[in-house]
Amino acid sequence: SIHCYAVAGGKLTLVHKTPVDGVPRAMCPFQGRVIVGCGASLRIYDLGKKKLLRKCENKHFPNMIVSISTQGERIFVGDVSESILFVKHNKTTNSLVIFADDSHPRWVTGAHPLDYDTVAASDKFGNIFVCRLPNEVADDVEEDPMGAGNFDHKAGAAYKVEEVVQFHVGETVTGLTRATLTPGGADSIVYWTLYGGVGAMQPFVSREDVDFFTHLEMHLRGAAGAREPKKAGKDFSYDHPSICGRDQLAFRSSYYPVKDVIDGDLCETFTQLDPQQQKDIADELDRTAGEVAKKLEDMRNRLL
């Protein structure tokens, strides 16, 4: 059942209970009403005097709804094993239309919208990803919300979202949100994990930073020889072993190939290298070792 409470005089007062079939795993406010995910059904309820009043419903979700978030009239629904589904509320027909979904099956643990067409989400296998609706699809949906047709459990929705970011954290991510950690700081995606870890993903603001950290990551990954096996006499040895015990690129791509994410943990290991290796990598970047360290510090300061 769904319990409705009122806040009065600093206390919670139970207004009424609404029995529902299925377990309500997710709730979210929506235009003065509430959206509830009960099992595989998505419903919109309005407040009544004796119980919540069901206004509309969609029973065609794949398995079980575990997360709901909204942006304007758009609803982002996370399924327990079928990733993120994009839903539109059609006021004319008072219906909930599933018009787009992800082509990859993912066991979603958390989701948060970044803008009207983009949502960031995490799954139980330690991946963080960002899905975006293509521009032409967004226009089609705005012009004709019912043009998406009915949801097919085998083929999915009529439109597919694009995966713009993919990164393997290494721990089960239990949730994420968009936040600013310091006054006047940059927005970032903050996530937390099953083992008590807290991390953040920060967007770059300039192409120069993207190029710099892409090349730094590449050199630390092995292109400059800092992490590749070198011949020492007749034996092979590592000058600086990988932080995760194996190839960094393979680790960050454990389930899906890493895409458009720089590994900050790997970049931070630059200061742990011996001075000669720092100088070799800095020379490849046309900078000094001090400038590279200062760049890393500036990125930390933007966030913290």
Side-chain angles (χ1 to χ4, degrees), residues 16-34:
H16 50 60
K17 300 178 182 179
T18 305
V20 294
D21 51 336
V23 180
R25 293 286 303 274
M27 303 175 68
C28 183
F30 179 69
Q31 299 178 351
R33 301 178 179 179
V34 63

Side-chain angles (χ1 to χ4, degrees), residues 14-274:
L14 179 63
V15 179
H16 50 60
K17 300 178 182 179
T18 305
V20 294
D21 51 336
V23 180
R25 293 286 303 274
M27 303 175 68
C28 183
F30 179 69
Q31 299 178 351
R33 301 178 179 179
V34 63
I35 304 179
V36 181
C38 297
S41 300
L42 184 68
R43 301 168 181 168
I44 295 181
Y45 285 96
D46 204 350
L47 185 64
K49 290 184 177 180
K50 295 185 177 180
K51 65 177 183 179
L52 294 176
L53 307 176
R54 186 190 306 178
K55 294 300 182 180
C56 68
E57 180 181 26
N58 187 323
K59 298 181 179 180
H60 300 293
F61 286 85
N63 298 293
M64 179 184 291
I65 297 172
V66 295
S67 73
I68 302 173
S69 51
T70 61
Q71 186 85 7
E73 294 185 355
R74 190 160 291 174
I75 306 165
F76 307 99
V77 178
D79 187 83
V80 69
S81 63
E82 291 295 336
S83 193
I84 302 295
L85 299 97
F86 284 55
V87 181
K88 174 103 174 182
H89 179 230
N90 190 327
K91 295 181 179 179
T92 305
T93 60
N94 191 30
S95 60
L96 295 166
V97 181
I98 304 173
F99 64 89
D101 66 350
D102 194 356
S103 58
H104 300 129
R106 296 178 182 270
W107 294 69
V108 174
T109 57
H112 190 81
L114 301 181
D115 58 37
Y116 195 62
D117 297 324
T118 312
V119 59
S122 59
D123 65 26
K124 66 184 292 186
F125 298 109
N127 299 303
I128 293 178
F129 58 99
V130 176
C131 294
R132 176 172 294 159
L133 198 66
N135 292 332
E136 61 275 11
V137 174
D139 293 337
D140 292 344
V141 172
E142 292 301 323
E143 293 172 3
D144 183 15
M146 294 303 293
N150 296 325
F151 182 79
D152 186 349
H153 284 272
K154 292 184 179 180
Y159 301 113
K160 300 297 178 182
V161 297
E162 296 177 345
E163 187 180 88
V164 294
V165 167
Q166 162 63 38
F167 187 72
H168 179 67
V169 175
E171 301 178 30
T172 300
V173 180
T174 54
L176 76 170
T177 188
R178 182 177 178 176
T180 303
L181 300 182
T182 56
D187 282 350
S188 60
I189 299 174
V190 179
Y191 63 89
W192 46 96
T193 68
L194 187 65
Y195 298 139
V198 179
M201 302 183 73
Q202 183 180 8
F204 288 109
V205 295
S206 67
R207 173 57 61 181
E208 179 187 355
D209 287 344
V210 174
D211 293 339
F212 172 81
F213 282 99
T214 299
H215 286 86
L216 176 61
E217 181 188 39
M218 180 184 67
H219 291 305
L220 288 172
R221 194 181 282 158
R227 295 176 181 273
E228 287 188 344
K230 286 189 176 182
K231 212 167 186 180
K234 295 183 180 179
D235 301 326
F236 283 88
S237 62
Y238 281 89
D239 285 339
H240 193 76
S242 173
I243 56 175
C244 50
R246 55 175 173 163
D247 182 67
Q248 182 267 349
L249 183 61
F251 172 70
R252 294 304 184 187
S253 307
S254 294
Y255 291 88
Y256 300 93
V258 63
K259 183 177 182 181
D260 291 342
V261 178
I262 304 298
D263 189 349
D265 291 334
L266 179 64
C267 293
E268 289 288 351
T269 62
F270 174 81
T271 57
Q272 299 173 12
L273 299 174
D274 60 60

Side-chain angles (χ1 to χ4, degrees), residues 278-290:
Q278 291 186 20
K279 183 178 184 303
D280 293 342
I281 294 177
D283 290 343
E284 293 288 339
L285 299 173
D286 295 328
R287 294 171 185 261
T288 65

